Amino acid sequence: MADEPLVLGIETSCDETGIGIVRGTTLLADAVATSVEEHGRFGGVVPEIASRAHLEAMVPTVQRALDEAGIKASDLDGIAVTAGPGLAGALLVGVSAAKAYAYALDKPLYGVNHLASHICVDQLEHGRLPEPTMALLVSGGHSSLLLTSDITSDVRSLGATIDDAAGEAFDKVARVLGLGFPGGPVIDRYAAEGDPGAIRFPRGLSGPNDAAYDFSFSGLKTSVARWIEAKRRAGEEVPVRDVAASFQEAVTDILTRKAVRACRDHGVDHLMIGGGVAANSRLRAMAQERCERAGIELRVPRMKLCTDNGAMVAALGSEMVWRNRAPSSFDLSADSSLPVTETHVPATHDDLHRFPD
C-alpha cells in the first residue's frame, strides 16, 4: 500500500466543497463542507452563493482532510481537481485552489472529469473496476449511460438525458408537493409510506421506436404537476405519499430498465450506479432485483460516496498516477461542459515545452 499513489482530490462542481485523500484504492479522508442550506430558500442552487461558499471553505476543509488522513501536504504524490462539467464559477474556485497547492508543493496537477470520477469512486468500495463496466450516473445535472474499458482514457457515452436530469425532476416534483429542497431525500422518505402503484405516471422514451439509452423526465415532471393541480382544483386532498411513491417508481423503472438493456446489448456483466440519485433506496432495490434476474453484478458505492465528494476526484487522480497518465499544465481551465469522453485534461506538447520540469 505504501507504494501506491497518495493523491488529494478537490471537488467544487456544484454546492459541495469536497476534499478527499486516497492512497491507491484506499480512502484515507473525505471532508465535505456544504452550502445546501444557503440555497434552500431559493429552491435550488445559486451559482454565486456556491462559489463564495467554496472560497470560504477551501483552506479549512483541505486542512481537515490532511488531519483526518494523518499526513502532511508534502507527503502527497499529486493534486487532482474537477475541471468539469459543472457550474463555471464553482469549478474555477476548485481549479484555482488546486493549481495553487500543486505549485506550492511542487506536485503534479490532474484536471479530471466529474462524471468519470463518479464511476471511479466505486473502486474505494469494491476494488478496481472490471473492464469493461457499464455505468449509470444519475444526479441533479446528469442522467447518463456510460461504457468504460479504462476509466482514465476510454469512457463512451451510450445515452443521456435530453431534458431534465433525474435529480432535477426530483427537486421540481418536491417543490410542487411543497416538500422543500433538495428533493431527492425527502421524496424517498415520503415514498416509503406510499403506494408506488397508486398512480401510473408516464415512462419517457420507453416506446419501441424511441432512443434505447436516452432519458427524458420533463414529461413525467409535467404529468405529476398537472395531476396535483387537478386534485387541488377539484378541492381534493393530494395524497403526497402516494404521489411521491408513484413518481419515484416511474423514475427508477426507466433508469434500471435501460441500464440492464444496455448491459445485455453490449455483453457487459457489471453495472455500476453512481451520482446523487444512486442514494435513492428504491433505485438500489430495483436495480438489485433486475440485475440478479439478468445475471449482472451490481456495484453501488455507499450513500456518502454517491453524492459529490472529493474522494471520487482523488480516486481518479490516483488512478491517473498509477497508470502513468500525463498531468495537466498550469494553464488548466475550468470547463463547464467538459464531455465525459475527456476523462482528464492532460498537458499538450506545447504546454510541456512552456512549463518544463
Side-chain angles (χ1 to χ4, degrees):
M1 177 178 170
D3 295 332
E4 293 182 302
L6 180 64
V7 174
L8 180 142
I10 298 175
E11 156 59 27
T12 62
S13 65
C14 193
D15 59 339
E16 308 282 356
T17 307
I19 308 296
I21 299 176
V22 165
R23 188 184 292 278
T25 59
T26 302
L27 177 61
L28 302 183
D30 181 23
V32 178
T34 181
S35 58
V36 66
E37 290 186 4
E38 298 174 56
H39 304 283
R41 60 196 178 102
F42 299 102
V45 176
V46 180
E48 292 80 2
I49 292 177
S51 299
R52 182 169 298 180
H54 290 312
L55 279 170
E56 295 172 351
M58 183 60 63
V59 172
T61 310
V62 168
Q63 189 58 54
R64 182 153 51 95
L66 291 169
D67 292 343
E68 183 181 335
I71 65 167
K72 301 187 296 292
S74 58
D75 296 330
L76 294 166
D77 296 312
I79 307 292
V81 62
T82 299
L87 300 175
L91 289 169
L92 187 59
V93 175
V95 168
S96 299
K99 289 196 282 190
Y101 279 108
Y103 184 83
L105 296 167
D106 193 24
K107 304 294 181 180
L109 173 70
Y110 293 87
V112 301
N113 190 291
H114 178 80
L115 299 181
S117 297
H118 268 303
I119 301 174
C120 198
V121 75
D122 187 65
Q123 296 195 153
L124 305 180
E125 190 86 19
H126 302 112
R128 297 202 180 276
L129 288 165
E131 297 177 346
T133 288
M134 188 70 65
L136 171 65
L137 297 187
V138 278
S139 68
H142 307 280
S143 299
S144 307
L145 268 172
L146 307 168
L147 179 62
T148 176
S149 60
D150 180 340
I151 192 57
T152 65
S153 64
D154 184 17
V155 176
R156 182 158 60 100
S157 177
L158 301 181
T161 184
I162 64 170
D163 42 53
D164 289 356
E168 186 179 3
F170 270 92
D171 287 341
K172 290 179 177 178
V173 168
R175 189 180 307 140
V176 173
L177 288 171
L179 299 181
F181 173 85
V186 69
I187 289 283
D188 199 3
R189 289 198 301 271
Y190 273 80
E193 300 176 359
D195 177 6
I199 310 155
R200 176 68 184 184
F201 288 125
R203 273 68 166 159
L205 295 183
S206 59
N209 298 320
D210 289 325
Y213 309 130
D214 284 340
F215 302 99
S216 172
F217 297 106
S218 180
L220 169 61
K221 170 205 67 182
T222 301
S223 178
V224 174
R226 287 177 176 171
W227 193 94
I228 293 170
E229 289 168 6
K231 281 285 184 182
R232 288 171 176 164
R233 281 198 304 270
E236 300 177 22
E237 182 179 352
V238 175
V240 174
R241 289 166 176 76
D242 286 347
V243 172
S246 299
F247 162 74
Q248 179 174 271
E249 192 74 4
V251 173
T252 55
D253 178 25
I254 200 66
L255 287 171
T256 56
R257 191 190 315 170
K258 293 202 171 205
V260 169
R261 177 177 176 177
C263 288
R264 285 172 167 164
D265 290 351
H266 290 82
V268 177
D269 59 4
H270 286 78
L271 172 65
M272 180 269 169
I273 302 181
V277 181
N280 180 270
S281 61
R282 182 56 181 149
L283 176 60
R284 287 171 173 253
M286 188 181 292
Q288 187 63 54
E289 294 166 7
R290 289 182 167 173
C291 282
E292 286 178 358
R293 288 200 300 267
I296 298 167
E297 182 177 333
L298 178 65
R299 295 168 58 120
V300 188
R302 60 185 177 272
M303 290 189 181
K304 187 177 180 181
L305 295 181
C306 288
T307 54
D308 291 348
N309 59 81
M312 68 187 200
V313 179
L316 184 51
S318 182
E319 194 73 10
M320 294 289 176
V321 177
W322 187 69
R323 296 193 186 224
N324 294 315
R325 302 302 182 206
S328 305
S329 77
F330 284 95
D331 270 359
L332 177 68
S333 298
D335 185 347
S336 61
S337 57
L338 185 69
V340 69
T341 50
E342 294 183 29
T343 55
H344 83 302
V345 186
T348 65
H349 181 270
D350 290 341
D351 289 330
L352 294 175
H353 177 72
R354 292 169 60 200
F355 298 96
D357 292 336

